[in-house]
Amino acid sequence: MQNQELKYWLAFAKLSLFRNKHFLFHKNFFDSLADFWNASFDALTDAKITDQVAHNFINTRSTINPEQELEYLYKYNLDVLLFDEPNYPSLLKEISSPPLLLFYRGNKEILHQQLFAIVGTRKFSSYGKQITLQLTQKVVDNNLIPVSGLALGIDTIVHQTCVNNHFPTVAVLGCGIDDNTIYPRSNYRLAQEIIKNNGIIISEYSAQTEALKHHFPARNRLISGLSLGTLVTEARQKSGALITAHFALEQNREVFAVPGPITQSTSDGTNNLIKLGAKTVTTVQDILDELNLPQKIAIQKTRNVVPDSPEELEILNQLSSESKHINQIALACKKSITYINAQLLLLEMKGRVHNLGNMHFTLKT
């Protein structure tokens, strides 16, 4: 596409005044997007645009400079997918309010593969961390590409698991995706790793657009809209992850949830989703069966965890896929907590154990 046309796509998207499918209808009344952008009130109403929207458009378009929007695109080295192009994600086109365009950095080809959303609370429990690690790993093992929102908490665990496996993942942001604006800032390096590992970061917001509160519900509709289904691994009753689940239902996509302890508030949201009809997930097979996907790996291979010393062997023998507190390990090994903690830190750095937080650990398989 020529820059002359692209700059107006960028300007219309920044304006956010026309719903996507309406925009394509109105666009057909003009010879070019430049004519549409500069149209008079009469020309706009002749294109079946209501008087109110036409007035709003004329009054606000002067606040946006199409040339500047194009300059930002190149300055920050961003790419863009336009709604009327064949490489725009097909599943996203099916939702009621797909964005006019998507800004992206990374491998756009994965947007046409089988995507699966995994989301959850920012403040997770050790249980939530453990099941998210395990289920994300199994999803990866079965060649489903995880989609999440790069937020702190469960989203970070999902993306980091993919990066650790050198497997692509899709991160959908509620802000610009230029280096200066990626949010949260603590996940800037993770965003770069996602791109390096053949993944992609995407957003409907242009460069330098800050992360505002109302952007995140809008972002969530894209997470679910890109995906065959959405899994909530852990969520409180008012978690933003539940917004993603509700969007998935509206978009006629499958919703999955992991049941959790009734004594933990971090499981209130997921337990309630199951009451409302979400599919219960205890293994990846529950997801594959519901989506009618074959299991790519019938028998998962357990990694050989080879200790480097007798001290490591003693600790590894106390660990399994079940969570264990450091006090239990120290008691079984008859060693001080300080000693066990130092050994566990080394094992974690070697990628042999998972630190679930709150001094709970599992064997990494």
Side-chain angles (χ1 to χ4, degrees), residues 66-226:
E67 288 287 352
Q68 187 177 63
E69 296 305 313
L70 188 64
E71 287 175 12
Y72 280 157
L73 188 73
Y74 295 130
K75 176 181 178 180
Y76 296 109
N77 198 28
L78 308 182
D79 289 306
V80 65
L81 296 171
L82 305 181
F83 183 81
D84 68 348
E85 291 182 340
N87 57 2
Y88 190 95
S90 56
L91 281 180
L92 197 57
K93 281 189 174 183
E94 296 176 4
I95 72 173
S96 62
S97 57
L100 267 184
L101 54 81
L102 289 170
F103 297 94
Y104 75 93
R105 293 170 63 184
N107 178 18
K108 67 181 178 182
E109 299 305 322
I110 65 171
L111 296 177
H112 301 285
Q113 297 182 36
Q114 292 177 324
L115 308 181
F116 185 75
I118 307 176
V119 295
T121 180
R122 284 172 170 79
K123 296 181 179 179
F124 52 80
S125 67
S126 58
Y127 169 77
K129 181 175 182 179
Q130 181 181 6
I131 58 175
T132 303
L133 282 166
Q134 291 179 354
L135 286 171
T136 303
Q137 183 64 58
K138 298 301 183 184
V139 165
V140 166
D141 288 341
N142 282 277
N143 289 337
L144 285 172
I145 296 177
V147 181
S148 204
L150 201 71
L152 299 177
I154 296 297
D155 291 14
T156 298
I157 295 171
V158 172
H159 294 309
Q160 190 64 60
T161 302
C162 294
V163 168
N164 291 347
N165 281 270
H166 303 290
F167 193 81
T169 178
V170 180
V172 187
L173 278 64
C175 58
I177 58 172
D178 55 287
D179 284 347
N180 298 328
T181 317
I182 288 173
Y183 180 87
R185 294 308 293 170
S186 57
N187 274 347
Y188 169 77
R189 184 170 294 179
L190 176 57
Q192 304 304 313
E193 289 297 318
I194 288 170
I195 296 169
K196 288 178 185 176
N197 279 276
N198 211 31
I200 188 171
I201 60 173
I202 66 174
S203 176
E204 63 182 310
Y205 300 107
S206 59
Q208 298 290 283
T209 302
E210 298 294 332
L212 301 177
K213 190 174 182 179
H214 67 275
H215 288 175
F216 292 99
R219 179 275 309 268
N220 292 349
R221 88 190 192 285
L222 303 187
I223 293 175
S224 57
L226 286 163

Side-chain angles (χ1 to χ4, degrees), residues 290-302:
E290 194 63 37
L291 296 178
N292 198 27
L293 298 173
Q295 187 165 5
K296 296 291 191 301
I297 302 174
I299 301 174
Q300 302 296 336
K301 293 182 180 178
T302 301

